[in-house]
Every structure is written in C-alpha cells, then in structure tokens.
Amino acid sequence: MNIYTASILASGLVVSSCEQGVFCTEEFRSVGFVWTEASLPDSVYTVNSRTGDTLTALDKGYETYFAVVDDSHMQSLSTEGDSLRTTVLDSTGTVVASAWYVVGRDNCHIVFRYGPEFLP
C-alpha cells in the first residue's frame, strides 16, 4: 500500500468517527387543532399517557387554533412519540371534545406523528 492510499484510508476513518453537527431552526413549533364550532372552548389540557403528566401549551388559543403541545414540552416527550390525550372543556367544565395525538421529538423540535387537525 502506498502512502497516498494510506492517507485516504486514514482520512476516511477520521471523517466516519466525527459526529455530525445538529443545526436547528429558531422557530417555535406547536401541534394543535382548529375549533370548528361557533362557541370557543374555555380550556384545553393534554395528558401524556406514558408519564401521566398534564401538559399545558403556552398559548391559550389564537382565534380558532388551540395548541395541544409545543416545543416547551420537548423534554417531556420520547423520540419515538408519546400518546397524548387532549380534552377540551367549555366554561362550565363540561367536556365538549377529546382526541388522541401522537407526538415525539428530535434534537430540535417536537415532531407530529398523528392526530386530528379539526375538532370537534
């Protein structure tokens, strides 16, 4: 083996042993639903079935969009995805809708896997 071939092999080993850098966007992601009824919900809460923890999104709704989970919950979610039970209440505390979402995470953001876009 000549010196040129040895240096190519050595550089290949160095490159393959380096970790790839992670570059994240500066956006703040959320997963949620659009409420389709005329009367807006009073509150929305989500329970992670794996941990039993209640997750509260930072926003309380924007017009008819309500977040179920957002990037502030990254450490509460598994990379594979967790089943999240979302419950929607009216002003009297009555359940007006509920749905299941599956949301995971990567190194930067939450990752939507499954769930309805519209409720009820």
Side-chain angles (χ1 to χ4, degrees), residues 51-73:
T51 64
D53 294 337
T54 299
L55 309 174
T56 305
L58 292 178
D59 70 33
K60 297 299 179 192
Y62 176 74
E63 295 179 2
T64 59
Y65 175 80
F66 293 85
V68 169
V69 64
D70 56 39
D71 276 347
S72 71
H73 301 107

Side-chain angles (χ1 to χ4, degrees), residues 66-111:
F66 293 85
V68 169
V69 64
D70 56 39
D71 276 347
S72 71
H73 301 107
M74 277 190 51
Q75 298 307 313
S76 302
L77 300 172
S78 67
T79 55
E80 298 81 24
D82 290 336
S83 294
L84 309 175
R85 178 69 168 179
T86 297
T87 304
V88 182
L89 305 172
D90 67 10
S91 60
T92 66
T94 302
V95 174
V96 292
S98 62
W100 285 96
Y101 288 82
V102 176
V103 180
R105 68 177 173 88
D106 59 19
N107 290 330
C108 301
H109 299 287
I110 60 172
V111 178

